[in-house]
Amino acid sequence: MKNKVYIIWIGWIGISAIARYYLAQSYAVYWSDLVWSELIENMKNEWINIILWEKADRIDNSFDLVVYTEAVEKTQSELQKAKQLWIKTLTYPEALANIANPKKLISIAGTHWKSTTTSLTSLVLKNSSIDFTSIVWTLLKEFDNKNFFYRRDSQENELFVIEACEYKRSFLHYKPTVWVITNIELDHLDYYKNLEDYINAFEEYLNNIIPWWFAILNWEDKNCKKLIWLRNDINYIEAYHDYFSYNEQDFTYPIIDINIPGKHILFDAKISYIIGHMMWINDNNILESLKDYSWVWRRMELIWKTVHNNILMSDYGHHPTEICLTLDSIKNTNIDKKILTIFQPHQYSRTIELLKDFKNCFNSTDKLIIPNIYKSRDTEEDIKNMNTQKLVESINHSDIINWEWLENTLKLIKDFDKNNTNAIIILMWAWDVDNLRYKIKTVL
């Protein structure tokens, strides 16, 4: 008889990869969520039994495990029913730790670009003969448009590559053999008290590295530098933009040709090169893998061209640093194109904390629309103290519009599309705004 697992909230990108892992292990996988999405539709096609909304009656003693995201309220009926029946329940990071910690774990963390670095590293490994599993918070065409890859011919030396999130210190569940930090910049202020508290979480995570294994740190990031030499029983690899250093010996990178613009993306590719180099993968194979890397879901993703020959893109950028670097990279490689950005902030609390940083991060877009703020884990006080108009007034931009909700925004996008050609339309950040892609006519 198959093991059965019930997973609450399929729509979250990380936990959907967990479902695919269990499916690969021949589990019977059941799931629920609040709203439909394309991701849910794809999961249904993979023989995962899904319902929309929640239904406690589905939970019975035939289930071996219930997994849920940390965003699920403790009062959620399915979770409560599982606990009443004494079924084992795990949060996403707890479940992932149970799966990944027994392997040789490559854990990629950092405030920005961890999805890109995890994707690049996974492709380098995929194009080798190494057995490995990968869980990443985006969808890759090289993974059949999934966020999960699995290859195992034997039990020996199996690698497991994960994207490790710092929110609520969830990455402290993982015990890596190779620990990567891309950068550290204060975020998640609905949980962390200040920068010191935020850096302290990464310091705690440093202590999880299995002794005598590896920490790869961005040696040019001022906050990463605060983690240097805190342990003398691990091996540090110092990643610079021009070279990397290990055991007091410097190594230059070969010329890396990558199709995605931006020095920050090239640096992610260099970290992936270091990991491939550590795994004794042939340089030519590494470089070909990096060269073949193309747009992935919600990371400067090229969706399609509209009927008026405008490029529609989607990006997950939400922190001002990410927004600025992403828009600058797009503009620098498309100087002749007009850019319309639709940015939906995620959380009232995050918008309050980062309000000053939003001021000048949209300089590379010609037109900016703020439709609404996406509510998630916000208190009534947060909602009272922040609204779309306050954000609009704080941003330094000559053509910015508070357009109040998505249907109104869709009308503006269609008008822009009709009146322009050879322009770029970017759907940026929260979940709702990305769903507009299905309502914009295309030539495909």
Side-chain angles (χ1 to χ4, degrees), residues 215-321:
I216 302 175
L217 289 176
N218 179 352
W219 231 254
E220 297 187 2
D221 182 278
K222 63 180 181 180
N223 291 322
C224 282
K225 285 183 177 180
K226 297 175 182 178
L227 305 177
I228 294 173
W229 312 127
L230 293 182
R231 285 183 62 180
N232 57 14
D233 63 341
I234 59 173
N235 297 286
Y236 282 88
I237 296 178
E238 308 160 21
Y240 299 87
H241 284 281
D242 297 326
Y243 65 96
F244 65 99
S245 183
Y246 169 62
N247 200 20
E248 298 185 350
Q249 184 177 356
D250 295 341
F251 301 85
T252 57
Y253 304 105
I255 296 174
I256 295 176
D257 185 9
I258 190 165
N259 292 317
I260 299 179
K263 291 182 179 179
H264 56 295
I265 304 296
L266 180 58
F267 184 68
D268 296 336
K270 290 175 178 177
I271 290 178
S272 301
Y273 171 83
I274 295 171
I275 296 172
H277 190 75
M278 293 171 62
M279 303 301 157
W280 300 98
I281 300 173
N282 179 278
D283 266 20
N284 289 334
N285 287 352
I286 297 173
L287 296 175
E288 283 299 315
S289 299
L290 298 176
K291 184 178 181 180
D292 289 344
Y293 180 72
S294 60
W295 315 94
V296 297
W297 182 70
R298 305 228 60 204
R299 304 302 190 279
M300 286 195 283
E301 176 192 4
L302 288 169
I303 303 174
W304 45 53
K305 283 192 176 181
T306 71
V307 290
H308 299 287
N309 204 40
N310 295 308
I311 297 170
L312 183 64
M313 298 180 69
S314 179
D315 192 84
Y316 195 68
H318 56 285
H319 190 284
T321 297

Side-chain angles (χ1 to χ4, degrees), residues 115-116 118-128 132 134 136 138-151 258-260 286-297 299 301:
S115 290
T116 304
T118 308
S119 299
L120 287 164
T121 300
S122 299
L123 293 183
V124 168
L125 292 171
K126 180 177 181 289
N127 294 332
S128 74
F132 81 104
S134 175
V136 58
T138 187
L139 308 176
L140 281 73
K141 64 179 179 60
E142 294 87 353
F143 291 177
D144 295 327
N145 292 318
K146 297 177 183 177
N147 48 2
F148 167 76
F149 182 83
Y150 175 77
R151 179 172 66 211
I258 190 165
N259 292 317
I260 299 179
I286 297 173
L287 296 175
E288 283 299 315
S289 299
L290 298 176
K291 184 178 181 180
D292 289 344
Y293 180 72
S294 60
W295 315 94
V296 297
W297 182 70
R299 304 302 190 279
E301 176 192 4

